[in-house]
Coordinates of all heavy atoms in Angstrom, one line a residue:
M4 N 6.9 -77.0 4.0 CA 7.7 -76.9 2.8 C 7.0 -75.8 1.9 O 7.7 -75.0 1.4 CB 7.8 -78.2 2.1 CG 8.6 -78.2 0.8 SD 10.3 -78.0 1.2 CE 11.0 -78.2 -0.4
N5 N 5.7 -75.9 1.8 CA 5.0 -75.0 0.9 C 5.1 -73.5 1.4 O 5.1 -72.6 0.7 CB 3.5 -75.4 0.7 CG 2.8 -74.8 -0.4 OD1 3.5 -74.3 -1.3 ND2 1.5 -74.8 -0.4
H6 N 5.0 -73.4 2.7 CA 5.1 -72.1 3.4 C 6.5 -71.4 3.1 O 6.6 -70.3 2.8 CB 4.9 -72.2 4.9 CG 5.1 -70.9 5.6 ND1 4.2 -69.9 5.4 CD2 6.1 -70.4 6.5 CE1 4.6 -68.8 6.2 NE2 5.8 -69.2 6.8
E7 N 7.5 -72.2 3.1 CA 8.9 -71.7 2.8 C 9.0 -71.3 1.3 O 9.6 -70.2 1.0 CB 9.9 -72.8 3.1 CG 10.1 -73.1 4.5 CD 11.1 -74.2 4.8 OE1 11.9 -74.6 3.8 OE2 11.1 -74.8 5.9
F8 N 8.4 -72.1 0.5 CA 8.3 -71.7 -0.9 C 7.6 -70.4 -1.2 O 8.1 -69.5 -1.9 CB 7.7 -72.8 -1.8 CG 7.5 -72.5 -3.2 CD1 8.7 -72.6 -4.1 CD2 6.3 -72.1 -3.8 CE1 8.6 -72.3 -5.4 CE2 6.2 -71.9 -5.1 CZ 7.3 -71.9 -5.9
D9 N 6.4 -70.2 -0.6 CA 5.7 -69.0 -0.7 C 6.5 -67.8 -0.1 O 6.4 -66.7 -0.7 CB 4.3 -69.1 0.0 CG 3.4 -70.1 -0.7 OD1 3.6 -70.4 -1.9 OD2 2.4 -70.6 -0.1
A10 N 7.1 -68.0 1.0 CA 7.9 -66.9 1.6 C 9.0 -66.5 0.7 O 9.3 -65.3 0.4 CB 8.5 -67.3 2.9
L11 N 9.7 -67.5 0.1 CA 10.8 -67.2 -0.9 C 10.3 -66.5 -2.1 O 10.9 -65.5 -2.6 CB 11.5 -68.5 -1.2 CG 12.5 -69.0 -0.2 CD1 13.1 -70.4 -0.7 CD2 13.6 -68.1 0.1
H12 N 9.1 -66.9 -2.6 CA 8.5 -66.3 -3.8 C 8.2 -64.9 -3.5 O 8.5 -64.0 -4.3 CB 7.3 -67.1 -4.2 CG 6.6 -66.6 -5.4 ND1 7.2 -66.7 -6.6 CD2 5.5 -65.9 -5.6 CE1 6.4 -66.1 -7.6 NE2 5.3 -65.6 -6.9
E13 N 7.6 -64.6 -2.4 CA 7.3 -63.2 -2.0 C 8.6 -62.3 -1.8 O 8.6 -61.2 -2.3 CB 6.5 -63.2 -0.7 CG 5.1 -63.7 -0.9 CD 4.3 -63.7 0.4 OE1 4.8 -63.1 1.4 OE2 3.2 -64.4 0.5
E14 N 9.6 -62.9 -1.3 CA 10.8 -62.2 -1.1 C 11.5 -61.9 -2.5 O 12.0 -60.7 -2.7 CB 11.8 -63.0 -0.2 CG 13.1 -62.3 0.0 CD 14.1 -63.1 0.9 OE1 13.7 -64.2 1.4 OE2 15.2 -62.6 1.0
I15 N 11.4 -62.8 -3.4 CA 11.9 -62.6 -4.7 C 11.2 -61.5 -5.4 O 11.8 -60.6 -6.1 CB 11.9 -63.9 -5.5 CG1 13.0 -64.8 -5.0 CG2 12.1 -63.6 -7.0 CD1 12.9 -66.2 -5.6
Q16 N 9.9 -61.5 -5.3 CA 9.0 -60.4 -5.9 C 9.4 -59.1 -5.3 O 9.5 -58.1 -6.1 CB 7.6 -60.7 -5.7 CG 7.1 -61.9 -6.6 CD 5.6 -62.1 -6.5 OE1 5.0 -61.9 -5.4 NE2 5.0 -62.6 -7.5
E17 N 9.6 -59.0 -4.0 CA 9.9 -57.7 -3.4 C 11.3 -57.2 -3.9 O 11.5 -56.1 -4.1 CB 9.9 -57.9 -1.9 CG 10.2 -56.6 -1.1 CD 9.3 -55.5 -1.4 OE1 8.0 -55.7 -1.6 OE2 9.7 -54.3 -1.4
L18 N 12.3 -58.2 -4.0 CA 13.6 -57.8 -4.4 C 13.6 -57.3 -5.9 O 14.3 -56.4 -6.2 CB 14.6 -59.0 -4.2 CG 14.9 -59.3 -2.8 CD1 15.8 -60.6 -2.7 CD2 15.7 -58.1 -2.2
E19 N 12.7 -58.0 -6.7 CA 12.6 -57.6 -8.1 C 12.0 -56.2 -8.2 O 12.5 -55.4 -9.0 CB 11.8 -58.5 -8.9 CG 12.5 -59.9 -9.2 CD 11.6 -60.9 -9.8 OE1 10.3 -60.7 -9.8 OE2 12.1 -61.9 -10.4
K20 N 11.1 -55.8 -7.3 CA 10.5 -54.5 -7.3 C 11.6 -53.5 -6.9 O 11.7 -52.4 -7.5 CB 9.3 -54.4 -6.3 CG 8.1 -55.0 -6.8 CD 7.0 -54.9 -5.8 CE 5.8 -55.7 -6.1 NZ 4.7 -55.7 -5.1
Q21 N 12.4 -53.8 -5.9 CA 13.5 -52.9 -5.5 C 14.5 -52.7 -6.6 O 15.0 -51.7 -6.8 CB 14.1 -53.5 -4.2 CG 13.3 -53.5 -3.0 CD 14.0 -54.1 -1.8 OE1 15.2 -54.5 -1.9 NE2 13.3 -54.2 -0.7
L22 N 14.8 -53.8 -7.3 CA 15.7 -53.7 -8.4 C 15.2 -52.8 -9.5 O 16.0 -52.0 -10.0 CB 16.0 -55.1 -9.0 CG 17.0 -55.2 -10.2 CD1 18.4 -54.7 -9.8 CD2 17.0 -56.6 -10.7
L23 N 14.0 -52.9 -9.8 CA 13.4 -52.0 -10.8 C 13.5 -50.6 -10.4 O 13.8 -49.7 -11.2 CB 12.0 -52.4 -11.1 CG 11.7 -53.7 -12.0 CD1 10.3 -54.0 -12.1 CD2 12.4 -53.6 -13.3
E24 N 13.2 -50.3 -9.1 CA 13.3 -48.9 -8.6 C 14.7 -48.4 -8.7 O 15.0 -47.3 -9.0 CB 12.8 -48.9 -7.2 CG 11.2 -49.1 -7.1 CD 10.8 -49.3 -5.6 OE1 11.6 -49.0 -4.7 OE2 9.6 -49.6 -5.4
K25 N 15.7 -49.2 -8.3 CA 17.1 -48.9 -8.3 C 17.5 -48.6 -9.8 O 18.3 -47.7 -10.0 CB 17.9 -49.9 -7.7 CG 17.8 -50.0 -6.2 CD 18.2 -48.7 -5.5 CE 18.1 -48.9 -4.0 NZ 18.4 -47.6 -3.3
K26 N 17.1 -49.4 -10.7 CA 17.4 -49.2 -12.1 C 16.9 -47.9 -12.6 O 17.6 -47.2 -13.3 CB 16.9 -50.4 -13.0 CG 17.7 -51.6 -12.9 CD 17.2 -52.7 -13.8 CE 18.1 -54.0 -13.8 NZ 17.6 -55.0 -14.7
K27 N 15.7 -47.6 -12.2 CA 15.0 -46.3 -12.7 C 15.8 -45.2 -12.1 O 16.1 -44.2 -12.7 CB 13.6 -46.3 -12.2 CG 12.9 -45.0 -12.7 CD 11.5 -45.0 -12.2 CE 10.8 -43.7 -12.6 NZ 9.4 -43.6 -12.0
E28 N 16.2 -45.3 -10.8 CA 16.9 -44.2 -10.1 C 18.3 -44.0 -10.8 O 18.7 -42.9 -11.0 CB 17.1 -44.6 -8.6 CG 17.8 -43.6 -7.8 CD 17.9 -44.0 -6.4 OE1 17.0 -44.7 -5.9 OE2 19.0 -43.7 -5.7
Y29 N 19.0 -45.1 -11.1 CA 20.2 -45.0 -11.7 C 20.2 -44.4 -13.1 O 21.0 -43.6 -13.5 CB 20.8 -46.5 -11.9 CG 22.1 -46.6 -12.7 CD1 23.3 -46.0 -12.2 CD2 22.1 -47.1 -14.0 CE1 24.5 -46.1 -13.0 CE2 23.2 -47.2 -14.7 CZ 24.4 -46.6 -14.3 OH 25.5 -46.7 -15.0
R30 N 19.1 -44.8 -13.9 CA 18.9 -44.2 -15.2 C 18.7 -42.7 -15.2 O 19.3 -41.9 -16.0 CB 17.8 -45.0 -15.9 CG 17.6 -44.6 -17.4 CD 16.5 -45.5 -18.0 NE 15.3 -45.7 -17.2 CZ 14.9 -46.8 -16.7 NH1 15.6 -47.9 -16.8 NH2 13.8 -46.9 -16.0
E31 N 17.9 -42.3 -14.2 CA 17.6 -40.9 -14.0 C 18.9 -40.2 -13.6 O 19.2 -39.1 -14.1 CB 16.5 -40.7 -13.0 CG 15.2 -41.1 -13.5 CD 14.1 -41.0 -12.5 OE1 14.4 -40.6 -11.3 OE2 12.9 -41.3 -12.8
Y32 N 19.7 -40.7 -12.7 CA 20.9 -40.1 -12.3 C 21.9 -40.0 -13.4 O 22.6 -39.0 -13.6 CB 21.5 -40.9 -11.1 CG 22.8 -40.5 -10.7 CD1 22.9 -39.3 -9.9 CD2 24.0 -41.1 -11.0 CE1 24.1 -38.8 -9.4 CE2 25.2 -40.6 -10.6 CZ 25.3 -39.5 -9.8 OH 26.5 -39.0 -9.3
R33 N 22.0 -41.1 -14.2 CA 22.9 -41.1 -15.3 C 22.6 -40.1 -16.4 O 23.5 -39.5 -17.0 CB 22.9 -42.5 -15.9 CG 24.1 -42.8 -16.9 CD 24.0 -44.2 -17.5 NE 22.8 -44.3 -18.3 CZ 22.2 -45.4 -18.7 NH1 22.8 -46.5 -18.4 NH2 21.2 -45.4 -19.4
T34 N 21.3 -39.8 -16.6 CA 20.9 -38.9 -17.7 C 20.6 -37.5 -17.2 O 20.2 -36.7 -18.0 CB 19.7 -39.5 -18.5 OG1 18.6 -39.7 -17.6 CG2 20.0 -40.8 -19.1
A35 N 20.8 -37.2 -15.9 CA 20.5 -35.9 -15.4 C 21.3 -34.8 -16.1 O 20.8 -33.8 -16.4 CB 20.8 -35.9 -13.9
G36 N 22.6 -35.1 -16.3 CA 23.4 -34.1 -17.0 C 22.9 -33.8 -18.4 O 22.8 -32.6 -18.9
L37 N 22.5 -34.8 -19.1 CA 22.0 -34.7 -20.5 C 20.7 -33.9 -20.5 O 20.5 -33.0 -21.3 CB 21.8 -36.0 -21.1 CG 21.2 -36.0 -22.6 CD1 22.0 -35.2 -23.5 CD2 20.9 -37.4 -23.0
R38 N 19.8 -34.2 -19.6 CA 18.5 -33.5 -19.5 C 18.8 -32.0 -19.2 O 18.1 -31.1 -19.7 CB 17.6 -34.1 -18.5 CG 16.9 -35.4 -19.0 CD 16.0 -36.0 -18.0 NE 16.7 -36.8 -17.1 CZ 16.6 -36.8 -15.8 NH1 15.8 -36.0 -15.2 NH2 17.4 -37.5 -15.0
A39 N 19.7 -31.7 -18.3 CA 20.0 -30.3 -17.9 C 20.6 -29.6 -19.1 O 20.3 -28.4 -19.3 CB 21.0 -30.3 -16.7
A40 N 21.5 -30.2 -19.8 CA 22.1 -29.6 -21.0 C 21.0 -29.4 -22.1 O 21.0 -28.3 -22.7 CB 23.1 -30.5 -21.6
M41 N 20.1 -30.3 -22.3 CA 19.0 -30.1 -23.3 C 18.1 -28.9 -22.9 O 17.7 -28.1 -23.7 CB 18.2 -31.4 -23.5 CG 19.0 -32.4 -24.2 SD 18.2 -34.0 -24.2 CE 16.8 -33.7 -25.3
E42 N 17.8 -28.8 -21.6 CA 17.0 -27.7 -21.1 C 17.7 -26.4 -21.3 O 17.1 -25.4 -21.7 CB 16.7 -27.9 -19.6 CG 15.8 -26.8 -19.0 CD 14.4 -26.8 -19.6 OE1 13.9 -27.8 -20.1 OE2 13.8 -25.7 -19.6
A43 N 19.0 -26.3 -21.0 CA 19.8 -25.1 -21.1 C 19.8 -24.7 -22.6 O 19.7 -23.5 -23.0 CB 21.2 -25.3 -20.6
R44 N 20.0 -25.7 -23.5 CA 20.0 -25.4 -24.9 C 18.7 -24.8 -25.4 O 18.6 -23.9 -26.2 CB 20.3 -26.7 -25.7 CG 20.3 -26.5 -27.2 CD 20.6 -27.7 -28.0 NE 20.6 -27.4 -29.4 CZ 20.9 -28.3 -30.3 NH1 21.2 -29.5 -29.9 NH2 20.8 -28.0 -31.6
S45 N 17.6 -25.4 -24.9 CA 16.3 -25.0 -25.2 C 16.1 -23.5 -24.8 O 15.5 -22.7 -25.5 CB 15.2 -25.9 -24.6 OG 13.9 -25.4 -24.8
E46 N 16.5 -23.2 -23.6 CA 16.4 -21.8 -23.1 C 17.3 -20.9 -23.9 O 16.8 -19.8 -24.1 CB 16.8 -21.8 -21.6 CG 15.8 -22.5 -20.7 CD 14.4 -21.9 -20.6 OE1 14.3 -20.6 -20.7 OE2 13.5 -22.6 -20.6
A47 N 18.4 -21.3 -24.3 CA 19.3 -20.4 -25.1 C 18.7 -20.2 -26.4 O 18.7 -19.1 -26.9 CB 20.7 -21.1 -25.2
E48 N 18.1 -21.2 -27.1 CA 17.5 -21.0 -28.3 C 16.3 -20.1 -28.2 O 16.1 -19.3 -29.1 CB 17.1 -22.4 -29.0 CG 18.2 -23.2 -29.5 CD 17.8 -24.5 -30.1 OE1 16.6 -24.8 -30.1 OE2 18.7 -25.1 -30.7
K49 N 15.6 -20.2 -27.2 CA 14.4 -19.3 -26.9 C 14.9 -17.9 -26.8 O 14.3 -17.0 -27.4 CB 13.7 -19.7 -25.7 CG 12.5 -18.9 -25.4 CD 11.7 -19.4 -24.1 CE 10.6 -18.5 -23.8 NZ 9.9 -18.9 -22.5
A50 N 16.0 -17.7 -26.1 CA 16.5 -16.3 -25.9 C 17.0 -15.8 -27.2 O 16.8 -14.6 -27.5 CB 17.7 -16.3 -24.9
V51 N 17.6 -16.6 -28.1 CA 18.1 -16.2 -29.4 C 16.9 -15.8 -30.3 O 16.9 -14.7 -30.9 CB 19.0 -17.2 -30.1 CG1 19.2 -16.9 -31.5 CG2 20.3 -17.4 -29.3
R52 N 15.9 -16.6 -30.2 CA 14.7 -16.3 -31.0 C 14.1 -15.0 -30.6 O 13.7 -14.2 -31.5 CB 13.6 -17.4 -30.9 CG 13.8 -18.6 -31.8 CD 12.6 -19.5 -31.8 NE 12.1 -19.8 -30.5 CZ 12.4 -20.9 -29.8 NH1 13.4 -21.7 -30.2 NH2 11.9 -21.1 -28.6
E53 N 14.0 -14.7 -29.4 CA 13.4 -13.5 -28.8 C 14.3 -12.3 -29.3 O 13.7 -11.2 -29.7 CB 13.2 -13.5 -27.3 CG 12.1 -14.5 -26.9 CD 12.0 -14.7 -25.4 OE1 12.9 -14.1 -24.7 OE2 11.2 -15.5 -25.0
E54 N 15.5 -12.4 -29.2 CA 16.5 -11.3 -29.5 C 16.4 -11.1 -31.0 O 16.4 -9.9 -31.4 CB 17.9 -11.7 -29.1 CG 18.9 -10.5 -29.3 CD 18.6 -9.4 -28.4 OE1 18.0 -9.6 -27.3 OE2 19.0 -8.2 -28.7
M55 N 16.4 -12.1 -31.8 CA 16.3 -11.9 -33.3 C 14.9 -11.3 -33.6 O 14.9 -10.4 -34.5 CB 16.4 -13.3 -34.0 CG 17.7 -14.0 -33.8 SD 19.1 -13.3 -34.6 CE 18.8 -14.0 -36.3
K56 N 13.9 -11.7 -33.0 CA 12.6 -11.1 -33.2 C 12.6 -9.6 -32.9 O 12.1 -8.8 -33.6 CB 11.5 -11.8 -32.4 CG 10.1 -11.3 -32.7 CD 9.1 -12.2 -32.0 CE 7.7 -11.7 -32.2 NZ 6.7 -12.5 -31.5
A57 N 13.2 -9.3 -31.7 CA 13.3 -7.9 -31.3 C 14.1 -7.1 -32.3 O 13.8 -5.8 -32.5 CB 13.9 -7.8 -29.9
L58 N 15.1 -7.6 -32.9 CA 15.9 -6.9 -33.9 C 15.2 -6.9 -35.3 O 15.7 -6.2 -36.2 CB 17.3 -7.6 -34.0 CG 18.2 -7.5 -32.8 CD1 19.4 -8.3 -32.9 CD2 18.5 -6.0 -32.5
G59 N 14.2 -7.7 -35.5 CA 13.5 -7.7 -36.8 C 14.2 -8.6 -37.8 O 14.0 -8.5 -39.0
V60 N 15.0 -9.5 -37.3 CA 15.8 -10.4 -38.2 C 15.1 -11.8 -38.2 O 14.8 -12.3 -37.1 CB 17.3 -10.5 -37.8 CG1 18.1 -11.5 -38.6 CG2 17.9 -9.1 -37.7
P61 N 15.0 -12.4 -39.4 CA 14.4 -13.8 -39.3 C 15.3 -14.7 -38.7 O 16.6 -14.7 -38.9 CB 14.2 -14.1 -40.8 CG 15.0 -13.1 -41.6 CD 15.2 -11.9 -40.7
Y62 N 14.8 -15.7 -37.9 CA 15.6 -16.7 -37.3 C 15.4 -18.0 -38.0 O 14.3 -18.4 -38.2 CB 15.1 -16.8 -35.8 CG 15.7 -17.9 -35.1 CD1 17.0 -17.9 -34.7 CD2 15.0 -19.1 -34.7 CE1 17.6 -19.0 -34.0 CE2 15.5 -20.1 -34.1 CZ 16.9 -20.1 -33.7 OH 17.4 -21.2 -33.0
I63 N 16.5 -18.7 -38.3 CA 16.5 -20.0 -38.9 C 16.7 -21.0 -37.8 O 17.7 -21.1 -37.2 CB 17.5 -20.2 -40.0 CG1 17.3 -19.1 -41.1 CG2 17.4 -21.6 -40.6 CD1 18.4 -19.1 -42.1
N64 N 15.7 -21.9 -37.6 CA 15.8 -22.9 -36.6 C 16.8 -23.9 -37.2 O 16.7 -24.5 -38.2 CB 14.5 -23.6 -36.4 CG 14.5 -24.6 -35.3 OD1 15.5 -25.2 -35.0 ND2 13.4 -24.8 -34.6
G65 N 17.9 -24.2 -36.3 CA 18.9 -25.1 -36.8 C 18.5 -26.6 -37.0 O 19.1 -27.3 -37.7
W66 N 17.4 -27.0 -36.4 CA 16.9 -28.3 -36.5 C 16.0 -28.5 -37.7 O 16.1 -29.5 -38.5 CB 16.1 -28.8 -35.3 CG 17.0 -28.9 -34.1 CD1 17.2 -28.0 -33.1 CD2 17.8 -30.0 -33.8 NE1 18.0 -28.5 -32.2 CE2 18.5 -29.7 -32.6 CE3 18.1 -31.2 -34.4 CZ2 19.4 -30.6 -32.0 CZ3 19.0 -32.1 -33.8 CH2 19.6 -31.8 -32.6
T67 N 15.1 -27.6 -38.0 CA 14.1 -27.8 -39.0 C 14.4 -26.9 -40.2 O 13.7 -27.1 -41.3 CB 12.7 -27.5 -38.5 OG1 12.7 -26.1 -38.1 CG2 12.3 -28.4 -37.4
R68 N 15.3 -25.9 -40.1 CA 15.6 -25.0 -41.2 C 14.4 -24.2 -41.6 O 14.3 -23.8 -42.7 CB 16.2 -25.7 -42.4 CG 17.4 -26.5 -42.2 CD 18.6 -25.6 -42.0 NE 19.8 -26.4 -42.0 CZ 20.8 -26.1 -41.2 NH1 20.8 -25.0 -40.5 NH2 21.9 -26.9 -41.2
H69 N 13.5 -23.9 -40.7 CA 12.4 -23.0 -40.9 C 12.7 -21.6 -40.5 O 13.3 -21.4 -39.5 CB 11.1 -23.5 -40.2 CG 10.6 -24.8 -40.7 ND1 9.3 -25.0 -41.0 CD2 11.2 -26.0 -41.0 CE1 9.1 -26.2 -41.5 NE2 10.3 -26.9 -41.5
Y70 N 12.2 -20.7 -41.3 CA 12.3 -19.3 -40.9 C 11.2 -18.9 -40.0 O 10.1 -19.3 -40.2 CB 12.3 -18.4 -42.2 CG 13.5 -18.4 -43.0 CD1 13.6 -19.3 -44.1 CD2 14.6 -17.6 -42.8 CE1 14.7 -19.4 -44.9 CE2 15.7 -17.6 -43.6 CZ 15.8 -18.5 -44.6 OH 16.9 -18.5 -45.4
T71 N 11.6 -18.1 -39.1 CA 10.6 -17.5 -38.1 C 10.8 -16.0 -38.0 O 11.9 -15.6 -37.9 CB 10.8 -18.1 -36.7 OG1 10.7 -19.6 -36.8 CG2 9.6 -17.7 -35.8
F72 N 9.7 -15.3 -38.1 CA 9.8 -13.8 -38.1 C 9.2 -13.3 -36.8 O 8.4 -13.8 -36.2 CB 9.1 -13.2 -39.2 CG 9.8 -13.4 -40.5 CD1 9.4 -14.5 -41.3 CD2 10.8 -12.6 -40.9 CE1 10.0 -14.7 -42.6 CE2 11.4 -12.8 -42.2 CZ 11.1 -13.9 -43.0

């Protein structure tokens, strides 16, 4: 009886580990588009800053409202 209990306990622990891994995989899959969009926005803002700097125009960061020359 005790052996069956231990076997079930180990199986439950293994299934819980698998569940955590699947939840993490699902979360990463679900937010992949958002992460890609944030990266694209960051790259676009960087390109705008560089272009503004090349033109000698101060750039106002939309998030912090700081001027950058």
Side-chain angles (χ1 to χ4, degrees):
M4 179 75 171
N5 197 18
H6 176 67
E7 291 176 17
F8 177 76
D9 291 340
L11 284 174
H12 182 71
E13 289 177 13
E14 183 179 353
I15 289 170
Q16 286 181 331
E17 181 60 34
L18 290 172
E19 286 175 344
K20 287 179 186 177
Q21 289 177 5
L22 178 61
L23 287 175
E24 290 173 9
K25 292 294 183 182
K26 282 183 177 182
K27 181 180 176 184
E28 183 180 325
Y29 172 72
R30 188 172 46 249
E31 289 175 358
Y32 177 76
R33 190 181 67 195
T34 60
L37 176 61
R38 281 183 278 132
M41 290 174 67
E42 181 66 28
R44 178 182 181 173
S45 177
E46 292 296 320
E48 286 183 355
K49 182 180 176 183
V51 168
R52 278 194 310 271
E53 291 173 359
E54 188 65 27
M55 298 287 280
K56 185 177 179 180
L58 294 173
V60 179
Y62 171 74
I63 302 174
N64 185 333
W66 291 100
T67 61
R68 301 284 188 219
H69 290 231
Y70 286 93
T71 306
F72 292 93

